[in-house]
Amino acid sequence: MKKKNLGFLSLLLAAFLLGSCGNTSGSSSSEASASSAENTSSEISDSDADGGHLGGHLNVAMFWVSTGLDPADGYNGWVLSRIGAGETLVRLDQNAEAEPAIAESWEQTDDNTWVFHIREGVTFSNGKPVDAAACKASIERAFSINSRAEEYFTLDSIEADGQTLTIHTAAPTGAIVHNLCEPLFTIVDTSVDEETMDTAPVSTGPYVVTAYSPETSVELVRNDSYWDGMPGLSTISVFAVPDSDARVLAMQSGEADLTTTIDNTNLSLFSDESRYTVSLTLGPRTNVVYYNNARPLLSDADFRRAVSCAADTATYAGLIGCAPGSGLYSEALACGRDVENPYAYNPDMAAELLDNLGYVDTDGDGVREADGENISLEYYIAADHGSSDSAIIAQAFQTDLKKVGIGVELIQTENMSDIRSAGQYDFCSANDSTAPTADPEVFLVQHYLSGGSANFENYKNTEIDGMIEELTHIFDPDERQLKAREISETILSDAASLYVGYIYGNTVTTANVKGALQFPIDYYIITKDITIE
């Protein structure tokens, strides 16, 4: 397939940028060429591709292209992994199980020591061999740049000897193998200069960045020296199309060959199997309503319980086409199965709890009062992961709370991170992966540990803190799942947040695209196995 005229995608992108110009970042918008001596892969024609059965060009409408590509900076590594340019020591397969990648095997030698055997014959895209020293430098660089690294494991030291990499942790870390799948730990050639690292990092993936425009587009070419077999495409163009409906139009117009994260309510538009292929998988990504536990009314657990009982989350899940939620984790994980939620939908219990708290409607206007004033709580909304789900949830939530006498004001914002950081909200929606590395620990550490980096709901519970500490020291996978379920049920009994439903991740392609799969862990979109006819 030839590279298409991407005029339609360009118009969609321009319209989005104009609509959001008040929220642009300070990064440069000029295209950054990545072609250099550091990168020996070159663009090839379809006829060059392994006897003619490989090759072709793929156009991808992606909901997000980051402000930079340095995988150690922020969440840039997720984009690098999704476009097929970056890889980690270990990766997650179609069943969310850890499998060898750059490391061909590993073993634990004591509570704090893990030995990884780096695969022979792996090279960076510039031809440099990947050995333990290169992996050591890359992981240490991630720790030096990104504070998130310490949420996955606390590093004591790393030793490199030929192809043997030994990681010593400062404390027992039962999740380290899964957590090393996080694209933050993408293995890169650290000898390249920082400017190249931000626009064209040199890694080991099946594709290599040749041009990049921040928040806008990425061009890639096949890595002919890829260690895991010949990649199926010659070249790839990735364009940022943040709006789900715009991605639908891009697919319907034929301007995009592949997209992801279509609102599930729109998937019926791609039911014609002669034109499209849809891959659908339940993963750990979850629609959640966060409660600000520090706000005057929501600081009371019984008030939070009343709110949770008032919310008909099963109906919300049906509206947005996801699996009904019961707790923190989806049934894609064992810790998400058979979870008991004592404050599931029960409007009569909600009313009773509010009555017992003394919040009653004294003037007959349908709204209960607190301290002589009508209760009115603020719910902030922002599009999340290119989906309109948050707005649908917020409107239904507002309706349900009105039925039990709680007023809710819906407020649209383009700066959700600022609102959360300032604590200027009562409720907000999110589309979060509660097990981003297919292990339940890191989400708990970030969101529910007192002082956690993403604990913008201001939740504090010393019992939960102790249980999370116990989880970090458990190595047996089955025991980890049991402990995580216990923690989830304790958080539910505290009504710390409202878990609405579990999202079916989706990848949509035109029918001539083969080998594209929706992985349960959404680090992976473009893989070596994708071909185009």
Side-chain angles (χ1 to χ4, degrees):
M1 180 178 224
K2 301 298 183 184
K3 186 172 181 177
K4 295 177 181 176
N5 181 340
L6 297 178
F8 181 73
L9 273 178
S10 298
L11 288 172
L12 288 173
L13 181 59
F16 171 78
L17 291 174
L18 285 171
S20 60
C21 61
N23 190 34
T24 55
S25 74
S27 62
S28 169
S29 62
S30 61
E31 185 168 328
S33 174
S35 299
S36 69
E38 293 290 341
N39 189 334
T40 58
S41 292
S42 58
E43 188 165 342
I44 56 179
S45 67
D46 295 358
S47 60
D48 291 327
D50 213 22
H53 69 281
L54 297 177
H57 182 84
L58 186 76
N59 292 310
V60 180
M62 193 86 79
F63 74 85
W64 174 53
V65 171
S66 48
T67 57
L69 294 179
D70 181 349
D73 184 11
Y75 286 85
N76 295 348
W78 291 41
V79 171
L80 201 67
S81 177
R82 286 168 175 167
I83 63 177
E87 295 183 312
T88 47
L89 293 178
V90 186
R91 63 190 174 197
L92 297 165
D93 66 13
Q94 187 63 27
N95 297 311
E97 297 290 340
E99 67 174 10
I102 295 174
E104 64 182 354
S105 63
W106 56 86
E107 65 264 359
Q108 182 183 11
T109 58
D110 61 46
D111 281 358
N112 292 22
T113 306
W114 298 78
V115 179
F116 294 84
H117 302 282
I118 307 306
R119 191 183 300 273
E120 295 278 0
V122 179
T123 63
F124 291 114
S125 59
N126 59 11
K128 293 182 180 179
V130 177
D131 57 12
C135 297
K136 174 180 184 291
S138 189
I139 294 171
E140 288 178 338
R141 182 178 182 274
F143 271 91
S144 71
I145 291 175
N146 197 322
S147 60
R148 282 199 306 119
E150 293 190 356
E151 296 172 354
Y152 292 95
F153 60 98
T154 52
L155 181 63
D156 180 31
S157 63
I158 305 179
E159 299 170 12
D161 181 12
Q163 298 301 110
T164 302
L165 182 77
T166 303
I167 298 177
H168 301 281
T169 60
T173 307
I176 189 170
V177 172
H178 277 81
N179 286 352
L180 280 168
C181 298
E182 223 284 359
L184 166 62
F185 301 113
T186 296
I187 302 303
V188 293
D189 181 359
T190 60
S191 70
V192 305
D193 60 70
E194 288 301 308
E195 182 178 354
T196 300
M197 188 70 78
D198 202 43
T199 59
V202 177
S203 187
T204 64
Y207 296 97
V208 183
V209 176
T210 58
Y212 164 67
S213 184
E215 299 183 280
T216 304
S217 63
V218 189
E219 298 289 332
L220 301 106
V221 65
R222 186 167 69 202
N223 178 2
D224 291 331
S225 61
Y226 184 54
W227 62 271
D228 195 22
M230 183 64 72
L233 301 164
S234 297
T235 53
I236 303 170
S237 295
V238 177
F239 284 81
V241 184
D243 181 72
S244 177
D245 290 339
R247 294 195 300 282
V248 168
L249 291 173
M251 290 297 297
Q252 291 177 322
S253 70
E255 296 296 328
D257 305 304
L258 182 152
T259 194
T260 67
T261 326
I262 296 296
D263 285 346
N264 283 312
T265 50
N266 284 333
L267 285 179
S268 60
L269 298 172
F270 301 100
S271 60
D272 184 349
E273 294 182 2
S274 69
R275 297 182 62 198
Y276 304 107
T277 301
V278 178
S279 178
L280 198 67
T281 300
L282 183 66
R285 194 162 284 282
T286 305
N287 273 309
V288 55
V289 179
Y290 288 117
Y291 303 165
N292 186 347
N293 287 237
R295 298 284 264 194
L297 294 177
L298 289 165
S299 63
D300 188 321
D302 277 342
F303 186 84
R304 297 194 303 269
R305 290 165 181 146
V307 169
S308 292
C309 288
D312 185 1
T313 55
T315 295
Y316 309 168
L319 291 172
I320 58 179
C322 65
S326 56
L328 280 68
Y329 304 106
S330 82
E331 292 191 0
L333 299 176
C335 57
R337 300 169 197 151
D338 302 318
V339 173
E340 295 293 330
N341 180 4
Y343 300 105
Y345 179 55
N346 186 336
D348 290 337
M349 181 183 288
E352 181 180 350
L353 285 165
L354 292 169
D355 288 344
N356 291 340
L357 289 169
Y359 301 134
V360 295
D361 175 17
T362 61
D363 57 10
D365 66 353
V367 182
R368 296 171 184 265
E369 295 110 40
D371 297 325
E373 300 288 336
N374 279 359
I375 295 175
S376 180
L377 305 179
E378 296 178 338
Y379 191 134
Y380 280 83
I381 313 167
D384 200 352
H385 286 76
S387 171
S388 61
D389 289 356
S390 59
I392 296 171
I393 292 168
Q395 290 164 9
F397 182 83
Q398 179 190 46
T399 298
D400 279 348
L401 264 63
K402 184 178 180 180
K403 292 176 183 176
V404 297
I406 297 175
V408 177
E409 178 186 4
L410 304 184
I411 304 170
Q412 191 74 36
T413 181
E414 297 295 332
N415 299 295
M416 183 65 83
S417 61
D418 294 340
I419 296 295
R420 288 171 173 170
S421 296
Q424 297 175 348
Y425 75 97
D426 292 300
F427 307 112
C428 67
S429 295
N431 169 337
D432 279 344
S433 178
T434 58
T437 64
D439 183 90
E441 180 184 317
V442 70
F443 183 78
L444 294 170
V445 170
Q446 292 171 336
H447 282 267
Y448 293 102
L449 185 69
S450 298
S453 64
N455 189 351
F456 48 77
E457 54 266 53
N458 298 297
Y459 179 72
K460 295 181 180 180
N461 184 325
T462 56
E463 180 186 4
I464 291 295
D465 291 346
M467 294 171 76
I468 294 173
E469 178 66 18
E470 288 177 37
L471 177 62
T472 66
H473 291 70
I474 296 173
F475 294 101
D476 180 83
D478 293 336
E479 290 183 20
R480 290 182 64 78
Q481 294 291 319
L482 289 172
K483 175 56 70 172
R485 184 170 66 189
E486 180 187 355
I487 296 171
S488 175
E489 290 182 333
T490 304
I491 290 171
L492 288 171
S493 71
D494 225 6
S497 308
L498 181 70
Y499 284 85
V500 173
Y502 311 121
I503 299 166
Y504 292 96
N506 61 71
T507 295
V508 179
T509 69
T510 51
N512 60 333
V513 175
K514 308 299 181 183
L517 292 175
Q518 175 64 43
F519 285 78
I521 306 301
D522 54 5
Y523 297 153
Y524 317 109
I525 297 175
I526 305 300
T527 69
K528 72 177 182 68
D529 298 318
I530 295 177
T531 60
I532 190 165
E533 297 176 348

